[in-house]
Amino acid sequence: MIADISQAPCAASPKRWSCTLPEHISPSAAKSYLGCSLKFYFERVACIRKNTPVALHVGKAVHAALQVFHLARWRAGDDSPGAVAAAYEKSFTDLETDEGPVNYDDEAEREKARVDGLRVVAAYLDSPEAMKGKPRAVEVLLKENIPGLSVPLTGAMDLVEGNFTPVDFKSAAAKPDPGNAAFDHEIQLVSYQLLMEIATGQVPPSLDLVFLVKTKTPQVIRVSSPPANEHRKRRVIALLETAVQGIARACYHPQPAMQCSWCQYKNECMAWLPARQLERRAA
Ligand code: SF4
């Protein structure tokens, strides 16, 4: 039996995850697993639901609004600020219903979050980074076999520009450090390059992140990094394969680090013992 781990958390039933190769691997699943395998287990295997963090909720609504804008550019549809703002408002409300409660303290926090996201969307549309021409592709999902990886690689690119540059949008609370940003997102950026090269035969001229920064005056900052050489590709394929093999062996354990400060699974983590995991695997 094989497991699907690249879809939204809990798209697969827990039984499908035990001691099998996953059907495929996505950069986000690999990054999640490598960041903390036990948190990955709680989110994607045990499917323990938590309230959505406010920043994640706003980021998803902003992402949906930008998607509407880019699709309108692609299809020569309505890409006006009003249409994009309406898409943001709809997504902000729909996500609250579709993905469960958001971790607001009160209505005032909800309203502030809503307005902050709207201001970020407006800042993007006003910025030089807003797509001017027709994109090559929007929200493109690719799935390819990659030499050295034992399952297919999948990836969903937010935007592919006319010159084959993949662009991923990130909501951020603070201005990014360009060197760290490219390193932090290496698995995702290089995975996109690997997928693009196999799907189109083209080497992207750069791998780009566009940060939408929710500062008092919102900022839109593009971080471009050069395409990966063979060394970087091999390194990322090895990281992806490490995640695949760890998932296949059901290897889940705490990895205490800075991320624990904002982890929602501390109670479950504190209850973890290796023996309990072995029991679960034997069941
Ligand atoms: S508290 Fe830390 S170690 Fe425990 S599951 Fe969360 S991120 Fe992992």
Side-chain angles (χ1 to χ4, degrees):
M1 186 182 285
I2 49 181
D4 180 352
I5 58 161
S6 286
Q7 301 306 310
C10 305
S13 77
K15 281 183 184 170
R16 298 183 64 208
W17 290 70
S18 49
C19 300
T20 63
L21 272 181
E23 269 182 4
H24 45 86
I25 188 79
S26 68
S28 63
K31 188 170 182 184
S32 170
Y33 179 84
L34 296 170
C36 178
S37 56
L38 188 59
K39 186 176 178 206
F40 175 95
Y41 172 83
F42 292 142
E43 281 180 338
R44 299 192 183 223
V45 184
C47 302
I48 300 172
R49 295 292 301 269
K50 300 284 183 184
N51 285 359
T52 307
V54 177
L56 178 61
H57 175 68
V58 174
K60 285 184 175 182
V62 168
H63 188 276
L66 266 53
Q67 182 182 351
V68 165
F69 172 72
H70 295 134
L71 284 172
R73 299 287 318 169
W74 191 41
R75 297 171 177 155
D78 184 358
D79 63 354
S80 65
V84 179
Y88 169 80
E89 298 284 10
K90 181 173 187 318
S91 175
F92 191 90
T93 307
D94 287 352
L95 284 166
E96 289 172 336
T97 308
D98 298 344
E99 300 199 354
V102 181
N103 225 6
Y104 305 123
D105 283 340
D106 51 31
E107 184 56 31
E109 187 183 15
R110 178 186 185 275
E111 181 59 11
K112 181 179 182 313
R114 186 189 69 77
V115 172
D116 284 352
L118 200 52
R119 288 169 61 235
V120 164
V121 170
Y124 173 71
L125 298 180
D126 275 349
S127 77
E129 300 304 339
M131 189 82 212
K132 302 293 185 298
K134 182 177 176 180
R136 185 168 292 275
V138 179
E139 294 295 325
V140 58
L141 178 64
L142 294 176
K143 181 177 181 181
E144 300 289 350
N145 292 313
I146 306 290
L149 195 53
S150 54
V151 298
L153 175 64
T154 59
M157 299 174 205
D158 291 343
L159 180 69
V160 180
E161 294 181 338
N163 64 356
F164 290 96
T165 297
V167 182
D168 203 74
F169 293 89
K170 304 286 183 196
S171 293
K175 202 171 161 180
D177 172 83
N180 280 338
F183 185 78
D184 285 351
H185 298 283
E186 184 183 35
I187 294 177
Q188 185 181 29
L189 292 173
V190 177
S191 291
Y192 289 172
Q193 178 181 343
L194 291 165
L195 289 166
M196 183 92 77
E197 286 179 359
I198 290 187
T200 68
Q202 299 283 332
V203 179
S206 68
L207 309 172
D208 287 12
L209 298 163
V210 172
F211 287 88
L212 308 167
V213 190
K214 293 178 283 181
T215 38
K216 195 171 176 188
T217 302
Q219 301 173 69
V220 179
I221 298 170
R222 180 179 290 244
V223 175
S224 295
S225 58
N229 59 18
E230 284 308 309
H231 175 89
R232 277 178 78 202
K233 287 185 200 173
R234 284 177 58 192
R235 181 181 137 76
V236 167
I237 291 168
L239 287 169
L240 292 164
E241 183 65 16
T242 300
V244 168
Q245 294 303 327
I247 293 162
R249 295 197 314 272
C251 180
Y252 305 116
H253 57 85
Q255 289 162 248
M258 259 178 62
Q259 64 196 353
C260 301
S261 306
W262 55 85
C263 178
Q264 293 181 294
Y265 296 96
K266 280 198 200 70
N267 290 340
E268 292 85 351
C269 181
M270 290 298 290
W272 177 90
L273 283 175
R276 293 188 59 184
Q277 193 174 34
L278 289 173
E279 285 165 15
R280 203 179 293 128
R281 287 165 67 178

